[in-house]
Amino acid sequence: MGNSSSRKEHIYSLEIPGTSTQGSSGIFVSPRARPYLAGWLPTRASTLYQSFKASVESFPDRPFLGTRKDSQYTWRTYQEVEDMASKFGYGLASLGLSERDSEGLAFVGIYAKNREEWVITDLGCTSQNLATVPLYDVHKAENIKFIVDQTQMKCMAFSHDKLSTIVDMRRQGGLQSLTTLIQYEDLTEEDRAKTSDTNLRIFSFKEILSLASSGTESPPEAESVFTICYTSGTTGNPKGAVITHSNLISTMAGIRDSGFVFSEKDSHLSYLPLAHMLERAIVHYMVQVGGSVGFYAGDVTKIQEDLAILKPTIFISVPRLYNKFYEYLIHQFSQEKGLRKALLDKALSSKMSNYHQYGVLESRVWDRLIFNRVKNSLGGRVRFMLTGSAPIPPEVLRFLKVVFSCPIVEGYGQTETCAASLATYPEDPECGHIGGPITTVEVKLVDVPEMKYSTSDLDETGKPQPMGELCMRGPTVFKGYYKDSEATQENIDEEGWVHSGDIAVRLSHNGAFMIIDRKKNFFKLAQGEYVAAEKVETVYLESPYVSQIFVHGDPHQFYLVAVVVPNEDHIRFHWCSQNEVPQNTPLEELCKNLKLKQDILTDMQAKAKQAKLFGYEQVKKIYLESKPWTPQDLLTPTQKLMRQKARSEYLEVLSEMYSSQ
């Protein structure tokens, strides 16, 4: 692939001449962008219905949906899934569930973990031009009530473990628009008895399939509503992003045009929630190319078992899991001794050097001797990996690329832009940025004067390096929030730009974008300085001691404090042995250890200095929390911290840190 002096320069965006305005950068597009942001798909499909039908015609006998049964996956072919999806649609129509409201819409809720019935429901609804409304498996009751009431949905499909929750909400006066329940598992007499006093009719999934063996499909148009995807907002009620078929088709076209080419030979492990647009987009992209989708067994802690059995070629995950991979592998490597340790160090050094110089991740010698065993932990066939939803430390990304001998693409997007808007190139060895726009997205930056970010900024050599709020526009952009014009106007401006709330910089040397701050989550300290909480938290998350963190500032105080959930693996594997503390000490007890608390704070302070945080941006006191935060308490379903709830939860702790000397 050449030598270091001739390594290919990766350019991520080009500025459209004459598009900059006062307070705004120019408009940037992908170097591969087509005129008018037109995308291309092999089938020329304009709807997800057409995309699926084209794949059934091309790959009728290819395995499509796989479900794990003990130590193997059983598969349904594209033809089998089409038959089931059509019958599901006929069944809904025969029950009168395809009747539209005054806006021409009809909704079906889906309330379950990822499984084959989830996707069949989605495709069946598409065949009748019904809009699906996914509900996170961990959605709280008040959010579900709000979503059902706002959409006035009549039908909900769900897994058996949700039946009691649904019935309880109905009896408490919620979910009054519902008339029909569809349980994915077979119904028992006990199940039917639970709903006997709710005025709800209940069917099993199999019963819906058998209601009508034939019927008429009612295909959607390109601008028909495909789904209402509710954001898991950190404050207030969730907002329903209206996504059309054209939005997602344009996203898929942009992904393919940008160089991320999948085929019928690819397989994907579906474990990220299908209620999130990223997983939904990936699954429909796999549909479009005739690929295979295998579902995890339902327990995220046993993902490695699913990977070993499925042996996927595509793996999509989030920084939280990748960080766990990193911690585990670093620990395993640190246990090696003698000649084996020397060989491993040489292998890592050699592969890292080749990657930096030539962009080469594979090594015939070192992979065979050492790293194939690491790759086998993902099943052994993974050729493409992606991380999204939150920043990932560059050193973690570089290390994992090298030891897995596989490119890992970092992506960026929002529900409002179908989750995939910017991405890095698989062949680019530079880490720490989010790449550039896919071919069907335009981006620009807008000044944020209150935070001192300007699109007229220059880099250290005097070249333009604009900073500001990242905005996106194009055919992937949603149509607005359902029944919430005020929120829509706040999010989309008159020219169609979605304002992300994220602060980005466009790097002068390659046109890539880097997220450096968050516009909404900042507060003012007593000395009048503004602090962006997420920017500060991102720095402290670089510490190997820190698993989760909540940074807090009080307008009447001069410094920051934080609640820290320690990285249990790092503490047990490293700190305990170094400080002669038994490794089996309960984490709750470890969190009371003053030496550990001081060591964590010291390491955090070192990371703050490395990142050149201002003094007022640095945390002065911490509290150690032994219980990790989950979507059951302080996190949204997409793992974002609910700050207002966190403040209420730790009110006494925060007050104590400020009052103590």
Side-chain angles (χ1 to χ4, degrees):
M1 294 186 65
N3 55 46
S4 59
S5 62
S6 62
R7 191 180 74 187
K8 178 182 177 182
E9 186 70 27
H10 299 282
I11 304 300
Y12 281 97
S13 66
L14 300 176
E15 183 174 2
I16 300 176
T19 56
S20 62
T21 59
Q22 182 67 35
S24 174
S25 73
I27 296 172
F28 301 99
V29 296
S30 165
R32 305 174 183 179
R34 298 164 185 265
Y36 309 108
L37 303 183
W40 176 83
L41 286 174
T43 62
R44 304 290 181 177
S46 63
T47 67
L48 299 168
Y49 172 85
Q50 293 172 354
S51 173
F52 175 51
K53 291 294 186 181
S55 289
V56 173
E57 184 176 342
S58 299
F59 314 106
D61 300 320
R62 288 284 303 171
F64 176 20
L65 302 180
T67 299
R68 182 179 161 188
K69 305 290 186 184
D70 299 321
S71 60
Q72 65 180 358
Y73 272 83
T74 59
W75 294 91
R76 295 192 187 277
T77 67
Y78 272 83
Q79 187 63 66
E80 289 172 333
V81 172
E82 184 199 32
D83 293 342
M84 296 176 73
S86 294
K87 289 178 180 177
F88 186 83
Y90 299 153
L92 295 181
S94 71
L95 293 172
L97 295 170
S98 60
E99 295 178 3
R100 309 278 190 263
D101 61 18
S102 59
E103 297 179 347
L105 297 171
F107 301 102
V108 174
I110 308 178
Y111 186 24
K113 291 181 179 179
N114 300 12
R115 54 191 294 166
E116 64 178 43
E117 292 89 352
W118 206 114
V119 175
I120 294 170
T121 300
D122 199 28
L123 294 169
C125 287
T126 297
S127 73
Q128 295 294 331
N129 194 17
L130 302 175
T132 49
V133 181
L135 301 165
Y136 281 101
D137 180 61
V138 293
H139 252 326
K140 295 174 176 58
E142 59 265 29
N143 286 341
I144 294 173
K145 290 177 183 177
F146 174 82
I147 292 168
V148 172
D149 288 347
Q150 188 177 65
T151 60
Q152 287 294 289
M153 72 173 64
K154 297 179 181 178
C155 177
M156 183 184 292
F158 61 93
S159 53
H160 177 262
D161 59 310
K162 303 295 185 293
L163 178 58
S164 294
T165 301
I166 294 168
V167 170
D168 288 346
M169 286 189 282
R170 174 77 167 203
R171 287 176 176 153
Q172 293 166 9
L175 318 186
Q176 288 303 303
S177 63
L178 285 180
T179 64
T180 308
L181 301 180
I182 301 173
Q183 181 170 288
Y184 287 142
E185 295 82 1
D186 291 340
L187 289 167
T188 65
E189 289 305 315
E190 182 182 356
D191 294 336
R192 296 185 189 280
K194 283 183 180 179
T195 61
S196 60
D197 62 342
T198 62
N199 198 30
L200 289 166
R201 52 184 180 180
I202 186 168
F203 300 88
S204 70
F205 184 75
K206 289 179 182 177
E207 287 173 338
I208 294 294
L209 296 183
S210 64
L211 283 178
S213 58
S214 63
T216 302
E217 295 189 344
S218 179
E221 301 290 336
E223 294 306 316
S224 297
V225 176
F226 163 57
T227 190
I228 307 287
C229 190
Y230 277 83
T231 62
S232 52
T234 56
T235 59
N237 290 322
K239 295 177 291 188
V242 179
I243 306 293
T244 66
H245 286 261
S246 176
N247 289 149
L248 196 51
I249 286 289
S250 297
T251 301
M252 291 158 53
I255 292 171
R256 187 181 182 90
D257 260 357
S258 298
F260 308 111
V261 180
F262 298 173
S263 76
E264 74 276 10
K265 297 178 182 178
D266 282 313
S267 57
H268 161 63
L269 177 68
S270 177
Y271 91 93
L272 296 177
L274 273 165
H276 191 277
M277 279 308 300
L278 173 60
E279 183 65 20
R280 201 91 170 275
I282 294 296
V283 167
H284 275 282
Y285 189 27
M286 295 299 289
V287 169
Q288 191 275 320
V289 301
S292 304
V293 178
F295 298 97
Y296 81 125
D299 185 347
V300 175
T301 64
K302 297 180 179 179
I303 284 291
Q304 196 163 348
E305 293 180 15
D306 300 317
L307 289 165
I309 297 170
L310 182 64
K311 296 179 171 56
T313 62
I314 310 296
F315 184 66
I316 315 295
S317 195
V318 293
R320 187 172 177 82
L321 185 62
Y322 284 121
N323 284 327
K324 285 187 176 293
F325 286 166
Y326 176 77
E327 281 291 329
Y328 174 78
L329 290 169
I330 288 291
H331 172 67
Q332 292 298 108
F333 290 173
S334 71
Q335 301 302 300
E336 300 289 353
K337 306 294 182 184
L339 180 60
R340 178 72 184 173
K341 174 66 172 173
L343 192 66
L344 176 60
D345 289 344
K346 184 173 177 58
L348 276 171
S349 176
S350 175
K351 287 200 68 178
M352 195 68 77
S353 176
N354 277 338
Y355 179 48
H356 281 302
Q357 291 186 60
Y358 313 123
V360 176
L361 287 169
E362 296 83 10
S363 167
R364 189 173 301 175
V365 174
W366 294 125
D367 289 349
R368 187 178 71 251
L369 287 175
I370 295 175
F371 297 111
N372 281 344
R373 285 182 298 168
V374 178
K375 191 166 186 174
N376 286 339
S377 66
L378 298 179
R381 297 201 310 138
V382 171
R383 69 172 188 85
F384 177 91
M385 301 167 72
L386 183 144
T387 178
S389 87
I392 185 169
E395 66 270 19
V396 172
L397 204 53
R398 291 189 200 98
F399 177 84
L400 293 179
K401 286 181 179 183
V402 166
V403 299
F404 284 126
S405 305
C406 180
I408 305 178
V409 168
E410 186 164 6
Y412 172 90
Q414 297 185 324
T415 299
E416 293 82 356
T417 59
C418 293
S421 301
L422 294 91
T424 57
Y425 296 141
E427 64 273 17
D428 185 5
E430 184 176 345
C431 298
H433 59 75
I434 57 171
I438 63 173
T439 61
T440 48
V441 171
E442 297 174 304
V443 299
K444 72 172 182 178
L445 301 176
V446 176
D447 288 353
V448 185
E450 67 270 25
M451 298 178 73
K452 300 179 182 178
Y453 290 118
S454 170
T455 53
S456 60
D457 283 345
L458 306 175
D459 68 10
E460 62 276 6
T461 67
K463 293 180 181 178
Q465 187 161 279
M467 298 183 184
E469 182 180 12
L470 180 65
C471 300
M472 296 163 283
R473 186 173 70 175
T476 69
V477 169
F478 78 136
K479 302 308 174 187
Y481 296 113
Y482 187 63
K483 293 184 178 179
D484 195 339
S485 58
E486 182 177 345
T488 299
Q489 290 171 6
E490 289 176 359
N491 194 263
I492 309 179
D493 67 25
E494 296 176 351
E495 296 180 340
W497 291 99
V498 169
H499 290 249
S500 70
D502 287 319
I503 306 296
V505 55
R506 181 179 182 265
L507 303 177
S508 58
H509 70 284
N510 63 357
F513 292 81
M514 179 189 294
I515 302 298
I516 58 173
D517 211 335
R518 179 71 180 162
K519 183 178 178 181
K520 295 179 181 177
N521 294 325
F522 67 93
F523 39 76
K524 198 177 192 181
L525 295 180
Q527 66 268 45
E529 298 287 359
Y530 285 99
V531 177
E534 290 185 1
K535 170 191 173 183
V536 174
E537 288 166 352
T538 298
V539 169
Y540 288 128
L541 283 169
E542 298 275 343
S543 168
Y545 287 98
V546 179
S547 175
Q548 296 171 306
I549 185 169
F550 163 46
V551 169
H552 175 73
D554 189 303
H556 302 294
Q557 303 291 341
F558 291 88
Y559 60 92
L560 302 178
V561 296
V563 179
V564 173
V565 177
N567 184 332
E568 184 173 0
D569 290 342
H570 182 80
I571 290 169
R572 294 197 187 285
F573 293 148
H574 300 282
W575 187 87
C576 285
S577 58
Q578 293 169 2
N579 291 273
E580 299 181 349
V581 175
Q583 282 197 353
N584 61 354
T585 304
L587 184 60
E588 186 174 0
E589 185 175 333
L590 287 171
C591 286
K592 297 176 183 177
N593 187 301
L594 296 180
K595 175 70 164 55
L596 174 62
K597 182 177 178 180
Q598 184 56 51
D599 287 350
I600 292 176
L601 184 57
T602 298
D603 191 73
M604 288 173 59
Q605 289 169 340
K607 292 293 184 289
K609 289 180 181 178
Q610 290 173 14
K612 299 180 179 179
L613 292 184
F614 292 111
Y616 61 83
E617 293 179 302
Q618 297 180 25
V619 166
K620 304 302 182 185
K621 295 181 181 181
I622 61 173
Y623 169 83
L624 300 186
E625 169 60 79
S626 61
K627 183 182 176 184
W629 304 319
T630 72
Q632 277 73 40
D633 44 57
L634 297 183
L635 301 184
T636 70
T638 51
Q639 305 292 315
K640 294 182 177 66
L641 181 68
M642 292 186 283
R643 295 186 177 277
Q644 187 59 46
K645 197 167 183 180
R647 278 192 288 271
S648 298
E649 176 73 18
Y650 292 104
L651 184 60
E652 292 185 13
V653 168
L654 299 172
S655 298
E656 174 64 24
M657 281 193 282
Y658 276 125
S659 61
S660 62
Q661 298 298 318

